[in-house]
Amino acid sequence: MYFISPSKGKMHFEEMMADIVGYIKGLPTSAYKVIIGADSQTIQGETHFVTAVIVHRLGKGARYFYRKRTHRKIKSLRQQIFFETSLSLEVGSLVTKALNGAGLEDLKLEIHIDVGNHGETKDLIREVVGMVVGSGFKAKIKPEAYGASSVADKHTK
């Protein structure tokens, strides 16, 4: 599994995690948020999914990495949102396992879901938030879901 760092290029998952752990342990007195968010867009008969991993050093900047996947065109918005959420949960569980292995088990992940109280996705909020919370993660929706609506969205086009 590969991720892309805007500053370091293509990295294996293990390399990305080593970079994240080094970033956190490099300034251990700071507070951190680790965020996973996904977004998708259908272009020319294919749906492009981007899953982003963001490490936010609160008040002092952030780093992010993203993974792109292409899928046959998904026509249903519901199916698209559920697939985005499942990709976030998959990456979230891998990141959690790696952080725990590095002695950072106190760091709790947030999953940012690309749904909100306005627009077509409002009817899906309960279900996808339930999926995320039921998997043991904190869920954020728009407008607080910047991991999905800003970072991942930037790379779907």
Side-chain angles (χ1 to χ4, degrees), residues 78 81-83 85-86 89 111 113-115 121 123-134 139 141:
R78 177 185 179 79
I81 295 295
F82 272 85
F83 195 64
T85 306
S86 68
L89 291 172
I111 304 284
I113 314 165
D114 198 26
V115 295
T121 60
D123 297 334
L124 303 173
I125 293 172
R126 269 190 33 175
E127 292 173 85
V128 289
V129 167
M131 265 174 77
V132 170
V133 172
I141 64 169

PDB file of all heavy atoms in Angstrom, residues 78 81-83 85-86 89 111 113-115 121 123-134 139 141:
ATOM      1  N   ARG A  78     -25.097   7.194  -1.975  1.00  0.00           N
ATOM      2  CA  ARG A  78     -25.072   6.405  -0.744  1.00  0.00           C
ATOM      3  C   ARG A  78     -23.920   5.394  -0.764  1.00  0.00           C
ATOM      4  O   ARG A  78     -23.138   5.304   0.175  1.00  0.00           O
ATOM      5  CB  ARG A  78     -26.417   5.690  -0.587  1.00  0.00           C
ATOM      6  CG  ARG A  78     -26.504   4.775   0.596  1.00  0.00           C
ATOM      7  CD  ARG A  78     -27.856   4.016   0.576  1.00  0.00           C
ATOM      8  NE  ARG A  78     -27.953   3.116   1.670  1.00  0.00           N
ATOM      9  CZ  ARG A  78     -28.246   3.462   2.906  1.00  0.00           C
ATOM     10  NH1 ARG A  78     -28.480   4.720   3.194  1.00  0.00           N
ATOM     11  NH2 ARG A  78     -28.303   2.565   3.855  1.00  0.00           N
ATOM     12  N   ILE A  81     -20.509   7.203  -0.493  1.00  0.00           N
ATOM     13  CA  ILE A  81     -20.202   7.667   0.867  1.00  0.00           C
ATOM     14  C   ILE A  81     -19.823   6.481   1.756  1.00  0.00           C
ATOM     15  O   ILE A  81     -18.877   6.559   2.543  1.00  0.00           O
ATOM     16  CB  ILE A  81     -21.398   8.450   1.465  1.00  0.00           C
ATOM     17  CG1 ILE A  81     -21.664   9.739   0.682  1.00  0.00           C
ATOM     18  CG2 ILE A  81     -21.187   8.726   2.949  1.00  0.00           C
ATOM     19  CD1 ILE A  81     -20.569  10.789   0.739  1.00  0.00           C
ATOM     20  N   PHE A  82     -20.547   5.377   1.638  1.00  0.00           N
ATOM     21  CA  PHE A  82     -20.218   4.199   2.441  1.00  0.00           C
ATOM     22  C   PHE A  82     -18.850   3.647   2.068  1.00  0.00           C
ATOM     23  O   PHE A  82     -18.087   3.211   2.942  1.00  0.00           O
ATOM     24  CB  PHE A  82     -21.301   3.116   2.310  1.00  0.00           C
ATOM     25  CG  PHE A  82     -22.411   3.283   3.296  1.00  0.00           C
ATOM     26  CD1 PHE A  82     -23.472   4.128   3.026  1.00  0.00           C
ATOM     27  CD2 PHE A  82     -22.385   2.629   4.519  1.00  0.00           C
ATOM     28  CE1 PHE A  82     -24.500   4.314   3.944  1.00  0.00           C
ATOM     29  CE2 PHE A  82     -23.399   2.807   5.444  1.00  0.00           C
ATOM     30  CZ  PHE A  82     -24.460   3.642   5.157  1.00  0.00           C
ATOM     31  N   PHE A  83     -18.512   3.665   0.795  1.00  0.00           N
ATOM     32  CA  PHE A  83     -17.194   3.184   0.365  1.00  0.00           C
ATOM     33  C   PHE A  83     -16.095   4.107   0.881  1.00  0.00           C
ATOM     34  O   PHE A  83     -15.069   3.636   1.377  1.00  0.00           O
ATOM     35  CB  PHE A  83     -17.144   3.034  -1.158  1.00  0.00           C
ATOM     36  CG  PHE A  83     -15.973   2.221  -1.641  1.00  0.00           C
ATOM     37  CD1 PHE A  83     -15.856   0.881  -1.313  1.00  0.00           C
ATOM     38  CD2 PHE A  83     -14.987   2.799  -2.416  1.00  0.00           C
ATOM     39  CE1 PHE A  83     -14.766   0.124  -1.757  1.00  0.00           C
ATOM     40  CE2 PHE A  83     -13.905   2.064  -2.864  1.00  0.00           C
ATOM     41  CZ  PHE A  83     -13.791   0.715  -2.533  1.00  0.00           C
ATOM     42  N   THR A  85     -16.195   5.909   3.565  1.00  0.00           N
ATOM     43  CA  THR A  85     -16.105   5.680   5.012  1.00  0.00           C
ATOM     44  C   THR A  85     -15.377   4.376   5.300  1.00  0.00           C
ATOM     45  O   THR A  85     -14.533   4.316   6.199  1.00  0.00           O
ATOM     46  CB  THR A  85     -17.511   5.689   5.651  1.00  0.00           C
ATOM     47  OG1 THR A  85     -18.157   6.921   5.288  1.00  0.00           O
ATOM     48  CG2 THR A  85     -17.435   5.582   7.154  1.00  0.00           C
ATOM     49  N   SER A  86     -15.659   3.341   4.526  1.00  0.00           N
ATOM     50  CA  SER A  86     -14.975   2.062   4.759  1.00  0.00           C
ATOM     51  C   SER A  86     -13.479   2.165   4.454  1.00  0.00           C
ATOM     52  O   SER A  86     -12.652   1.561   5.148  1.00  0.00           O
ATOM     53  CB  SER A  86     -15.631   0.923   3.981  1.00  0.00           C
ATOM     54  OG  SER A  86     -15.452   1.080   2.605  1.00  0.00           O
ATOM     55  N   LEU A  89     -11.969   3.799   7.469  1.00  0.00           N
ATOM     56  CA  LEU A  89     -11.892   2.854   8.589  1.00  0.00           C
ATOM     57  C   LEU A  89     -10.759   1.849   8.398  1.00  0.00           C
ATOM     58  O   LEU A  89     -10.055   1.507   9.354  1.00  0.00           O
ATOM     59  CB  LEU A  89     -13.227   2.122   8.775  1.00  0.00           C
ATOM     60  CG  LEU A  89     -14.373   2.987   9.283  1.00  0.00           C
ATOM     61  CD1 LEU A  89     -15.685   2.216   9.248  1.00  0.00           C
ATOM     62  CD2 LEU A  89     -14.088   3.501  10.696  1.00  0.00           C
ATOM     63  N   ILE A 111     -11.997  10.238  12.470  1.00  0.00           N
ATOM     64  CA  ILE A 111     -12.367   9.932  11.088  1.00  0.00           C
ATOM     65  C   ILE A 111     -13.277  11.065  10.620  1.00  0.00           C
ATOM     66  O   ILE A 111     -14.301  11.343  11.235  1.00  0.00           O
ATOM     67  CB  ILE A 111     -13.106   8.579  10.969  1.00  0.00           C
ATOM     68  CG1 ILE A 111     -12.273   7.434  11.551  1.00  0.00           C
ATOM     69  CG2 ILE A 111     -13.512   8.319   9.520  1.00  0.00           C
ATOM     70  CD1 ILE A 111     -11.123   6.952  10.719  1.00  0.00           C
ATOM     71  N   ILE A 113     -15.764  12.450   7.928  1.00  0.00           N
ATOM     72  CA  ILE A 113     -16.689  11.892   6.941  1.00  0.00           C
ATOM     73  C   ILE A 113     -17.260  13.021   6.093  1.00  0.00           C
ATOM     74  O   ILE A 113     -17.658  14.059   6.622  1.00  0.00           O
ATOM     75  CB  ILE A 113     -17.848  11.147   7.643  1.00  0.00           C
ATOM     76  CG1 ILE A 113     -17.326  10.246   8.759  1.00  0.00           C
ATOM     77  CG2 ILE A 113     -18.632  10.317   6.634  1.00  0.00           C
ATOM     78  CD1 ILE A 113     -18.413   9.786   9.712  1.00  0.00           C
ATOM     79  N   ASP A 114     -17.319  12.796   4.809  1.00  0.00           N
ATOM     80  CA  ASP A 114     -17.762  13.826   3.860  1.00  0.00           C
ATOM     81  C   ASP A 114     -19.289  13.898   3.769  1.00  0.00           C
ATOM     82  O   ASP A 114     -19.873  13.755   2.699  1.00  0.00           O
ATOM     83  CB  ASP A 114     -17.148  13.544   2.489  1.00  0.00           C
ATOM     84  CG  ASP A 114     -17.182  14.756   1.578  1.00  0.00           C
ATOM     85  OD1 ASP A 114     -17.208  15.889   2.091  1.00  0.00           O
ATOM     86  OD2 ASP A 114     -17.175  14.568   0.346  1.00  0.00           O
ATOM     87  N   VAL A 115     -19.940  14.096   4.925  1.00  0.00           N
ATOM     88  CA  VAL A 115     -21.393  14.276   4.987  1.00  0.00           C
ATOM     89  C   VAL A 115     -21.680  15.486   5.866  1.00  0.00           C
ATOM     90  O   VAL A 115     -20.851  15.858   6.698  1.00  0.00           O
ATOM     91  CB  VAL A 115     -22.124  13.026   5.558  1.00  0.00           C
ATOM     92  CG1 VAL A 115     -21.963  11.837   4.645  1.00  0.00           C
ATOM     93  CG2 VAL A 115     -21.673  12.703   6.969  1.00  0.00           C
ATOM     94  N   THR A 121     -26.381  14.561   1.477  1.00  0.00           N
ATOM     95  CA  THR A 121     -25.830  13.529   2.370  1.00  0.00           C
ATOM     96  C   THR A 121     -26.422  13.533   3.769  1.00  0.00           C
ATOM     97  O   THR A 121     -26.103  12.656   4.569  1.00  0.00           O
ATOM     98  CB  THR A 121     -24.291  13.681   2.481  1.00  0.00           C
ATOM     99  OG1 THR A 121     -23.993  14.977   3.011  1.00  0.00           O
ATOM    100  CG2 THR A 121     -23.622  13.490   1.130  1.00  0.00           C
ATOM    101  N   ASP A 123     -29.167  12.608   5.034  1.00  0.00           N
ATOM    102  CA  ASP A 123     -29.889  11.392   5.420  1.00  0.00           C
ATOM    103  C   ASP A 123     -28.948  10.230   5.758  1.00  0.00           C
ATOM    104  O   ASP A 123     -29.393   9.216   6.289  1.00  0.00           O
ATOM    105  CB  ASP A 123     -30.836  10.960   4.291  1.00  0.00           C
ATOM    106  CG  ASP A 123     -31.914  12.005   4.024  1.00  0.00           C
ATOM    107  OD1 ASP A 123     -32.243  12.779   4.951  1.00  0.00           O
ATOM    108  OD2 ASP A 123     -32.423  12.058   2.883  1.00  0.00           O
ATOM    109  N   LEU A 124     -27.668  10.363   5.433  1.00  0.00           N
ATOM    110  CA  LEU A 124     -26.704   9.279   5.671  1.00  0.00           C
ATOM    111  C   LEU A 124     -25.912   9.464   6.965  1.00  0.00           C
ATOM    112  O   LEU A 124     -25.187   8.556   7.368  1.00  0.00           O
ATOM    113  CB  LEU A 124     -25.718   9.205   4.496  1.00  0.00           C
ATOM    114  CG  LEU A 124     -26.321   9.002   3.112  1.00  0.00           C
ATOM    115  CD1 LEU A 124     -25.253   9.109   2.040  1.00  0.00           C
ATOM    116  CD2 LEU A 124     -27.015   7.657   3.040  1.00  0.00           C
ATOM    117  N   ILE A 125     -26.034  10.617   7.607  1.00  0.00           N
ATOM    118  CA  ILE A 125     -25.197  10.954   8.765  1.00  0.00           C
ATOM    119  C   ILE A 125     -25.264   9.888   9.852  1.00  0.00           C
ATOM    120  O   ILE A 125     -24.226   9.383  10.297  1.00  0.00           O
ATOM    121  CB  ILE A 125     -25.561  12.345   9.338  1.00  0.00           C
ATOM    122  CG1 ILE A 125     -25.185  13.429   8.338  1.00  0.00           C
ATOM    123  CG2 ILE A 125     -24.853  12.587  10.668  1.00  0.00           C
ATOM    124  CD1 ILE A 125     -25.662  14.830   8.708  1.00  0.00           C
ATOM    125  N   ARG A 126     -26.458   9.543  10.297  1.00  0.00           N
ATOM    126  CA  ARG A 126     -26.589   8.577  11.405  1.00  0.00           C
ATOM    127  C   ARG A 126     -25.899   7.256  11.107  1.00  0.00           C
ATOM    128  O   ARG A 126     -25.203   6.701  11.952  1.00  0.00           O
ATOM    129  CB  ARG A 126     -28.064   8.319  11.704  1.00  0.00           C
ATOM    130  CG  ARG A 126     -28.613   9.247  12.751  1.00  0.00           C
ATOM    131  CD  ARG A 126     -29.963   8.856  13.206  1.00  0.00           C
ATOM    132  NE  ARG A 126     -30.135   7.400  13.191  1.00  0.00           N
ATOM    133  CZ  ARG A 126     -31.193   6.783  13.630  1.00  0.00           C
ATOM    134  NH1 ARG A 126     -32.185   7.462  14.112  1.00  0.00           N
ATOM    135  NH2 ARG A 126     -31.296   5.477  13.574  1.00  0.00           N
ATOM    136  N   GLU A 127     -26.090   6.761   9.891  1.00  0.00           N
ATOM    137  CA  GLU A 127     -25.522   5.457   9.539  1.00  0.00           C
ATOM    138  C   GLU A 127     -23.997   5.476   9.487  1.00  0.00           C
ATOM    139  O   GLU A 127     -23.353   4.604  10.062  1.00  0.00           O
ATOM    140  CB  GLU A 127     -26.086   4.990   8.197  1.00  0.00           C
ATOM    141  CG  GLU A 127     -27.554   4.651   8.254  1.00  0.00           C
ATOM    142  CD  GLU A 127     -28.104   4.358   6.875  1.00  0.00           C
ATOM    143  OE1 GLU A 127     -27.989   3.207   6.430  1.00  0.00           O
ATOM    144  OE2 GLU A 127     -28.643   5.299   6.252  1.00  0.00           O
ATOM    145  N   VAL A 128     -23.418   6.468   8.797  1.00  0.00           N
ATOM    146  CA  VAL A 128     -21.957   6.467   8.668  1.00  0.00           C
ATOM    147  C   VAL A 128     -21.273   6.868   9.973  1.00  0.00           C
ATOM    148  O   VAL A 128     -20.216   6.326  10.297  1.00  0.00           O
ATOM    149  CB  VAL A 128     -21.453   7.309   7.467  1.00  0.00           C
ATOM    150  CG1 VAL A 128     -21.790   6.636   6.155  1.00  0.00           C
ATOM    151  CG2 VAL A 128     -21.956   8.720   7.499  1.00  0.00           C
ATOM    152  N   VAL A 129     -21.873   7.774  10.734  1.00  0.00           N
ATOM    153  CA  VAL A 129     -21.309   8.117  12.045  1.00  0.00           C
ATOM    154  C   VAL A 129     -21.378   6.876  12.942  1.00  0.00           C
ATOM    155  O   VAL A 129     -20.426   6.566  13.669  1.00  0.00           O
ATOM    156  CB  VAL A 129     -22.032   9.331  12.681  1.00  0.00           C
ATOM    157  CG1 VAL A 129     -21.676   9.487  14.159  1.00  0.00           C
ATOM    158  CG2 VAL A 129     -21.673  10.609  11.930  1.00  0.00           C
ATOM    159  N   GLY A 130     -22.467   6.126  12.856  1.00  0.00           N
ATOM    160  CA  GLY A 130     -22.600   4.881  13.607  1.00  0.00           C
ATOM    161  C   GLY A 130     -21.529   3.866  13.243  1.00  0.00           C
ATOM    162  O   GLY A 130     -20.975   3.179  14.108  1.00  0.00           O
ATOM    163  N   MET A 131     -21.222   3.767  11.951  1.00  0.00           N
ATOM    164  CA  MET A 131     -20.149   2.872  11.484  1.00  0.00           C
ATOM    165  C   MET A 131     -18.820   3.250  12.126  1.00  0.00           C
ATOM    166  O   MET A 131     -18.076   2.398  12.597  1.00  0.00           O
ATOM    167  CB  MET A 131     -19.960   3.022   9.962  1.00  0.00           C
ATOM    168  CG  MET A 131     -20.669   2.060   9.093  1.00  0.00           C
ATOM    169  SD  MET A 131     -20.456   2.523   7.331  1.00  0.00           S
ATOM    170  CE  MET A 131     -18.802   1.985   6.961  1.00  0.00           C
ATOM    171  N   VAL A 132     -18.515   4.539  12.116  1.00  0.00           N
ATOM    172  CA  VAL A 132     -17.229   5.036  12.619  1.00  0.00           C
ATOM    173  C   VAL A 132     -17.135   4.868  14.134  1.00  0.00           C
ATOM    174  O   VAL A 132     -16.155   4.323  14.649  1.00  0.00           O
ATOM    175  CB  VAL A 132     -17.015   6.512  12.196  1.00  0.00           C
ATOM    176  CG1 VAL A 132     -15.819   7.118  12.901  1.00  0.00           C
ATOM    177  CG2 VAL A 132     -16.868   6.612  10.690  1.00  0.00           C
ATOM    178  N   VAL A 133     -18.150   5.323  14.841  1.00  0.00           N
ATOM    179  CA  VAL A 133     -18.153   5.235  16.309  1.00  0.00           C
ATOM    180  C   VAL A 133     -18.161   3.765  16.745  1.00  0.00           C
ATOM    181  O   VAL A 133     -17.460   3.378  17.677  1.00  0.00           O
ATOM    182  CB  VAL A 133     -19.340   6.033  16.905  1.00  0.00           C
ATOM    183  CG1 VAL A 133     -19.475   5.802  18.393  1.00  0.00           C
ATOM    184  CG2 VAL A 133     -19.166   7.514  16.599  1.00  0.00           C
ATOM    185  N   GLY A 134     -18.910   2.941  16.033  1.00  0.00           N
ATOM    186  CA  GLY A 134     -18.955   1.510  16.330  1.00  0.00           C
ATOM    187  C   GLY A 134     -17.620   0.820  16.108  1.00  0.00           C
ATOM    188  O   GLY A 134     -17.356  -0.242  16.673  1.00  0.00           O
ATOM    189  N   ALA A 139     -15.921  10.462  15.279  1.00  0.00           N
ATOM    190  CA  ALA A 139     -16.390  10.861  13.954  1.00  0.00           C
ATOM    191  C   ALA A 139     -16.627  12.360  13.900  1.00  0.00           C
ATOM    192  O   ALA A 139     -17.150  12.944  14.842  1.00  0.00           O
ATOM    193  CB  ALA A 139     -17.693  10.130  13.630  1.00  0.00           C
ATOM    194  N   ILE A 141     -18.216  15.388  11.136  1.00  0.00           N
ATOM    195  CA  ILE A 141     -18.905  15.648   9.873  1.00  0.00           C
ATOM    196  C   ILE A 141     -18.697  17.113   9.493  1.00  0.00           C
ATOM    197  O   ILE A 141     -18.194  17.898  10.300  1.00  0.00           O
ATOM    198  CB  ILE A 141     -20.412  15.294   9.961  1.00  0.00           C
ATOM    199  CG1 ILE A 141     -21.134  16.189  10.988  1.00  0.00           C
ATOM    200  CG2 ILE A 141     -20.600  13.817  10.284  1.00  0.00           C
ATOM    201  CD1 ILE A 141     -22.653  16.084  10.928  1.00  0.00           C
TER     202      ILE A 141
END
